[in-house]
């Protein structure tokens, strides 16, 4: 960039900053610091709009100036995805944190994108309700961020994915439009299904400002069990037996770790009498396997994968496989880790979604991730790299999008023709 161009760019940034300050206030527009770095790229400014209209107008100004916008909620997953091709302005939703309407009789809630999952759950619990979602880091993760990353845990088995729970959403588009779709009732078939489109889009189509969710009653009681089994094949057979039984389980996962015995975890919710009956049936299915009442903390197993002593020697990936392939996939992971001299931990949900942590030499980490991605993708699965150590050579976070990529690019062009939002961070460089 020559001196004249640098001068013009600096003038543009200065002019834009003053315009943003004029309606957001100087305390809500500030220079980015090292704490605002996005996957290794440092933005120039951070803006914190106070409402949806302010956010939409600020986004329009940024887009018109030819700059890029990076949406940010609690920042818990800001490092996921590929590094942005450009990162000019961080759009924080921290002030869009109001629970605007809890229609408890209709089992719905309308909530700002900046509200944390924990705050939302605590508010809903006052009426004996919950959003049937177990996200990572709920005390910091926000509604908008969780939707953008499509983050859901083991409760997905019983209550469905986020796309099944979200029934309405408002997005700020780069042209300043606030686009809304869905409604405050569970059954709504009219209009463009913007909530489901935005879920998992990684902030590349619009900035989520508000969402409406369907709710579920809080359970009267819950009970968790862990079954220790001798090998992966036994774990697979037990999971299949549970899934094919009349057990009314809420969550089901398997944990694998190097030479340790596999563990199968199961969660029941209901009345004490019902839980006793479920436990008796589970003991019959487990037969001679070691069954024990477990702490609710076992459902934090995927979050615990981030608890490692040496972050510079660990990589974490999200994997998706066919439920019938759990045994094969766990075996493939163990084999790859052994060949590459790596330590591993895997948490696999019965529905086929899981998280994998590999630890060891950075070069071997990369080779193992590439090997596993090829094997999963060849069998309709996927592997997304969501954390890699600084010493590991760059690797595409997402892998192949298959024949869906042209359609994804067409939707991106329709909603964000100037490539303003999170450029380069999503699948295929979107």
């Amino acid at each position: 960039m020559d001196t004249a161009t640098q001068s013009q760019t600096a003038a543009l940034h200065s002019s834009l900053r003053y315009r943003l300050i004029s309606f957001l206030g100087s305390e809500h527009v500030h220079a980015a610091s090292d704490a605002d770095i996005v996957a290794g790229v440092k933005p120039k400014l951070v803006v914190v709009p106070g409402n949806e209209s302010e956010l939409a107008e600020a986004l329009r100004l940024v887009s018109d100036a030819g700059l890029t916008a990076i949406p940010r909620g609690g920042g818990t997953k800001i490092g996921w995805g590929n590094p942005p091709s450009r990162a000019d302005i961080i759009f924080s939703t921290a002030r869009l944190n109001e629970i605007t309407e809890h229609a408890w009789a209709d089992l719905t809630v309308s909530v700002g994108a900046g509200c944390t999952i924990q705050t939302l759950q605590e508010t809903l619990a006052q009426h004996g309700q919950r959003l049937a979602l177990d996200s990572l880091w709920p005390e910091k993760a926000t509604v908008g961020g969780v939707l953008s990353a499509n983050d859901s845990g083991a409760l997905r088995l019983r209550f469905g994915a986020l796309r099944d729970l979200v029934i309405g959403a408002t997005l700020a588009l780069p042209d300043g439009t606030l686009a809304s779709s869905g409604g405050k009732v569970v059954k709504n078939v009219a209009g463009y299904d913007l909530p489901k489109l935005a879920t998992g889009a990684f902030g590349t189509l619009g900035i989520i400002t508000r969402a409406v969710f369907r709710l579920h009653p809080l359970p009267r009681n819950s009970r968790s069990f862990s079954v220790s089994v001798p090998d992966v094949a036994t774990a697979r057979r037990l999971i299949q037996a549970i899934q094919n039984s009349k057990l009314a389980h809420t969550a089901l996962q398997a944990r694998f770790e190097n030479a340790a015995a596999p563990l199968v975890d199961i969660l029941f919710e209901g009345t004490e009498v019902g839980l006793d009956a479920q436990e008796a049936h589970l003991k019959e299915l487990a037969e001679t396997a070691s069954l024990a009442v477990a702490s609710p903390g076992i459902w934090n197993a995927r979050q615990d994968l981030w608890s490692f002593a040496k972050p510079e020697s660990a990589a974490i990936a999200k994997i998706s496989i066919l439920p019938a392939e759990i045994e094969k996939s766990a075996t493939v992971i163990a084999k790859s880790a052994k060949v590459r001299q790596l330590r591993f931990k895997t948490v696999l949900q019965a529905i086929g979604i899981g998280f994998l942590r590999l630890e060891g030499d950075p070069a071997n980490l990369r080779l193992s991730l590439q090997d596993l991605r090829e094997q999963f993708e060849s069998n309709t699965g996927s592997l997304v790299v969501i954390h890699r150590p600084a010493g590991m050579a760059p690797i595409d976070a997402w892998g192949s999008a298959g024949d869906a990529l042209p359609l994804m690019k067409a939707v991106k062009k329709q909603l964000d023709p100037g490539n303003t939002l999170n450029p380069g961070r999503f699948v295929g460089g979107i």
Side-chain angles (χ1 to χ4, degrees):
M1 187 182 292
D2 58 38
T3 303
T5 302
Q6 287 179 336
S7 179
Q8 291 173 350
T9 301
L12 175 63
H13 290 167
S14 178
S15 173
L16 175 64
R17 182 169 184 168
Y18 285 126
R19 294 185 69 183
L20 291 170
I21 288 174
S22 69
F23 67 93
L24 295 180
S26 58
E27 68 273 27
H28 302 305
V29 180
H30 59 84
S33 66
D34 288 346
D36 301 306
I37 289 176
V38 181
V41 182
K42 186 176 180 179
K44 300 173 181 64
L45 280 180
V46 177
V47 299
V48 192
N51 56 53
E52 292 174 301
S53 297
E54 286 184 356
L55 190 149
E57 176 61 12
L59 182 56
R60 183 188 68 80
L61 291 175
V62 168
S63 180
D64 288 350
L67 302 178
T68 61
I70 309 293
R72 185 180 71 191
T76 58
K77 305 170 189 71
I78 198 71
W80 293 19
N82 292 321
S85 56
R86 265 181 70 187
D88 295 318
I89 317 289
I90 291 276
F91 274 73
S92 169
T93 60
R95 296 169 65 205
L96 277 64
N97 58 3
E98 184 181 359
I99 299 174
T100 53
E101 183 181 1
H102 178 197
W104 57 269
D106 294 328
L107 287 171
T108 66
V109 66
S110 178
V111 57
C115 182
T116 67
I117 298 299
Q118 180 171 295
T119 298
L120 175 60
Q121 299 286 32
E122 289 173 350
T123 302
L124 298 175
Q126 295 174 19
H127 288 276
Q129 296 177 352
R130 63 173 168 175
L131 174 61
L133 169 74
D134 45 346
S135 69
L136 293 165
W137 309 292
E139 69 282 0
K140 293 182 180 179
T142 61
V143 164
V146 166
L147 280 170
S148 294
N150 194 20
D151 175 33
S152 58
L155 291 180
R156 180 172 177 158
L157 175 70
R158 181 68 175 271
F159 300 103
L162 263 174
R163 288 188 177 92
D164 301 305
L165 298 174
V166 62
I167 57 176
T170 300
L171 271 68
L173 303 180
D175 64 359
T177 300
L178 279 170
S180 296
S181 178
K184 293 184 291 183
V185 294
V186 172
K187 292 185 178 180
N188 189 319
V189 296
Y192 191 55
D193 206 342
L194 201 60
K196 290 181 174 58
L197 191 62
T199 301
F202 225 67
T204 56
L205 302 180
I207 300 180
I208 299 171
T209 61
R210 181 163 36 94
V212 183
F213 295 101
R214 70 168 69 202
L215 305 176
H216 291 83
L218 278 171
R220 293 186 180 183
N221 303 283
S222 64
R223 204 176 294 176
S224 298
F225 297 91
S226 287
V227 185
S228 177
V229 294
D231 50 45
V232 175
T234 307
R236 186 260 305 162
R237 287 195 295 270
L238 177 59
I239 290 172
Q240 286 183 336
I242 292 172
Q243 289 287 70
N244 292 331
S245 73
K246 293 182 179 180
L247 286 174
H249 49 291
T250 300
L252 181 62
Q253 68 182 18
R255 292 179 282 158
F256 306 99
E257 178 181 0
N258 288 90
L263 292 167
V264 176
D265 305 317
I266 186 167
L267 170 66
F268 298 116
E269 295 178 335
T271 64
E272 286 294 343
V273 173
L275 294 179
D276 289 341
Q278 300 283 337
E279 180 178 353
H281 193 177
L282 177 61
K283 287 179 177 177
E284 293 176 3
L285 293 176
E287 297 177 338
T288 59
S290 175
L291 184 148
V293 176
S295 161
I298 61 172
W299 303 108
N300 289 325
R302 67 185 185 120
Q303 183 169 304
D304 292 342
L305 294 179
W306 273 263
S307 302
F308 34 71
K310 297 180 179 180
E312 68 276 8
S313 66
I316 297 177
K318 180 180 181 180
I319 60 178
S320 176
I321 59 173
L322 295 171
E325 299 290 326
I326 286 179
E327 178 184 352
K328 179 181 177 182
S329 300
T331 302
V332 163
I333 290 169
K335 181 179 179 181
S336 179
K338 184 177 181 180
V339 168
R340 303 294 180 187
Q341 298 181 310
L342 303 172
R343 296 178 300 281
F344 77 92
K345 281 188 177 182
T346 309
V347 181
L348 278 175
Q349 299 169 22
I351 57 173
I353 292 176
F355 284 75
L356 162 69
R357 182 176 93 195
L358 294 170
E359 292 183 76
D361 176 72
N364 284 341
L365 288 177
R366 192 176 191 280
L367 290 170
S368 182
L369 290 169
Q370 288 178 317
D371 291 343
L372 292 171
R373 173 175 281 167
E374 289 178 6
Q375 294 191 60
F376 291 151
E377 288 185 350
S378 68
N379 199 29
T380 69
S382 65
L383 183 148
V384 178
V385 181
I386 53 181
H387 171 83
R388 65 178 179 86
M392 192 180 103
I395 183 172
D396 176 54
W398 301 99
S400 173
D403 56 8
L405 188 58
L407 178 59
M408 295 169 71
K409 287 184 174 180
V411 173
K412 169 72 169 175
K413 187 175 181 180
Q414 182 72 25
L415 297 180
D416 181 20
N419 202 25
T420 299
L421 292 160
N422 255 355
R425 302 211 68 202
F426 199 33
V427 180
I430 291 177

